[in-house]
Amino acid sequence: MSTDSSTANSTETEVPCTLDTCPLSEAIITYQPNIGGNAFFFALFGLLFLVQLRLGIRYKTWSYLVAMLFGLILEVVGYIGRLQLHNDPFNFNFFLEYLVCLTIGPAFLTAAIYITFARVVYSCDERLSWIRPKIISIIFMTCDFICLVLQATGGAITSTSGGMSREAEGMRQTGVNIMIGGLSFQVVSLFLFILYAVIYAWRWNAATALHYHQRPPKGQMRRSLVFGLAIASVTIFVRCAFRVAELSRGFQSPLANNEVAFMTLEGTVVLIACLCLTLGHPGLCLDIAWKLPGQVPRKRQYAVSNVDLENIHTRE
């Protein structure tokens, strides 16, 4: 009799929690993700994926295309995970699907920003930059790669540490800590990029003010691109800072379980960034070949004279 009873108890403990058998407070996240809101983000990111695919093929901006497609497909998969969590918030696999994909995705979007900024510098005047355009791409893409490796490693450790034992909990926390490290590094590198971009923009505006008494010719579309890159950079920076704060306080913290904050500071700001990177697509806004100098002949006339450059240096 006692053997049968213990067997029954053992069987009961192996039954996974559902909304019918366990309270929502025992779920991985203590709320059911909103179907409408997450479906909205899923649909828009999916649509932007198709638009980016079309524009990338048309204008042959291959590196930009790859970065944007990886970022957008991760956003799509991440919101699929959140939709699945609505009916089963106890499912660890669905949780990982959303956590890892939405954490890693923006790293590819920042890669697209870095790639495009290097082309903007070359299109405007690379002499106004302290660093050559190609080196700018290498430096910040390397930082982005480090962020991506840390976040992916943390996600892999978290995904392989199932169970409720103390060891499994410790491994999960280690994985989360590594992801926080990757996000923190992304915040720092993105801040340095924004700072450098602001300095270059100031130097460019000062130089063009000396050379032209009005906007430089053919500059309107390029300015739109730069404006879009600025908004995308700031929004992703805000998002990364939010995710660091969210993950550092644990999955059971009030911030981690505040869906309004998540949908605003994760979903909305990343969507704004993707819209800017799509509407301000470099194929639409740049009038130069996509390949950087060293790969194509550099035969063009700079908009700013050497005298103007000397004046800029004097002002500094």
Side-chain angles (χ1 to χ4, degrees):
M1 181 71 176
S2 60
T3 302
D4 295 339
S5 176
S6 62
T7 301
N9 290 335
S10 175
T11 302
E12 288 177 2
T13 57
E14 294 176 358
V15 175
C17 276
T18 66
L19 289 171
D20 295 327
T21 60
C22 299
L24 191 58
S25 59
E26 294 182 10
I28 303 171
I29 54 174
T30 57
Y31 66 89
Q32 292 177 265
N34 180 272
I35 288 288
N38 288 282
F40 171 78
F41 286 119
F42 162 76
L44 279 186
F45 283 121
L47 177 61
L48 291 175
F49 177 91
L50 297 176
V51 174
Q52 284 286 347
L53 182 62
R54 176 71 180 90
L55 291 173
I57 293 173
R58 178 179 179 182
Y59 294 106
K60 297 180 174 59
T61 52
W62 303 121
S63 53
Y64 186 86
L65 173 64
V66 170
M68 288 301 301
L69 291 190
F70 270 107
L72 288 167
I73 196 63
L74 286 169
E75 292 293 323
V76 169
V77 175
Y79 282 100
I80 290 175
R82 286 184 62 82
L83 289 170
Q84 291 171 313
L85 277 173
H86 176 81
N87 293 323
D88 190 2
F90 303 92
N91 191 304
F92 189 62
N93 291 329
F94 295 161
F95 173 74
L96 284 176
E97 182 182 344
Y98 123 70
L99 176 68
V100 175
C101 290
L102 294 189
T103 300
I104 294 175
F108 289 97
L109 303 180
T110 54
I113 292 172
Y114 300 150
I115 292 169
T116 306
F117 179 73
R119 272 77 179 174
V120 170
V121 170
Y122 178 64
S123 174
C124 293
D125 194 334
E126 65 179 276
R127 297 173 303 165
L128 293 169
S129 174
W130 296 327
I131 307 172
R132 289 180 61 85
K134 196 170 184 178
I135 303 301
I136 292 174
S137 287
I138 292 173
I139 291 173
F140 288 107
M141 286 290 289
T142 300
C143 293
D144 213 46
F145 179 74
I146 294 172
C147 298
L148 186 60
V149 169
L150 288 173
Q151 293 173 32
T153 301
I157 293 174
T158 304
S159 65
T160 56
S161 56
M164 300 302 295
S165 65
R166 182 173 298 179
E167 291 77 10
E169 291 285 350
M171 285 294 291
R172 276 198 293 272
Q173 189 57 49
T174 299
V176 170
N177 290 340
I178 294 174
M179 293 175 73
I180 292 172
L183 283 166
S184 299
F185 190 78
Q186 189 175 9
V187 168
V188 173
S189 60
L190 191 52
F191 174 78
L192 293 176
F193 168 77
I194 291 172
L195 180 62
Y196 185 80
V198 168
I199 292 172
Y200 178 81
W202 179 85
R203 288 168 61 83
W204 164 249
N205 285 330
T208 52
L210 289 170
H211 190 74
Y212 299 109
H213 296 293
Q214 56 186 2
R215 291 181 177 178
K218 298 182 181 179
Q220 185 59 46
M221 291 299 292
R222 186 168 52 207
R223 286 174 180 270
S224 300
L225 170 61
V226 171
F227 186 66
L229 289 178
I231 295 176
S233 299
V234 172
T235 52
I236 294 177
F237 178 82
V238 170
R239 171 264 174 194
C240 290
F242 163 71
R243 292 308 299 272
V244 169
E246 178 196 36
L247 292 178
S248 63
R249 298 181 184 181
F251 297 132
Q252 299 301 317
S253 68
L255 182 60
N257 287 281
N258 186 332
E259 187 174 23
V260 173
F262 180 88
M263 300 292 267
T264 303
L265 296 174
E266 168 67 36
T268 302
V269 297
V270 174
L271 179 60
I272 291 172
C274 290
L275 286 170
C276 289
L277 294 173
T278 302
L279 296 175
H281 191 280
L284 298 171
C285 301
L286 290 180
D287 56 356
I288 61 171
W290 181 247
K291 290 184 178 181
L292 282 174
Q295 298 169 295
V296 295
R298 294 174 55 192
K299 294 181 180 180
R300 63 189 181 87
Q301 182 180 0
Y302 285 109
V304 181
S305 67
N306 289 324
V307 174
D308 292 334
L309 283 175
E310 292 176 3
N311 290 334
I312 295 298
H313 293 310
T314 303
R315 285 188 176 186
E316 293 177 347

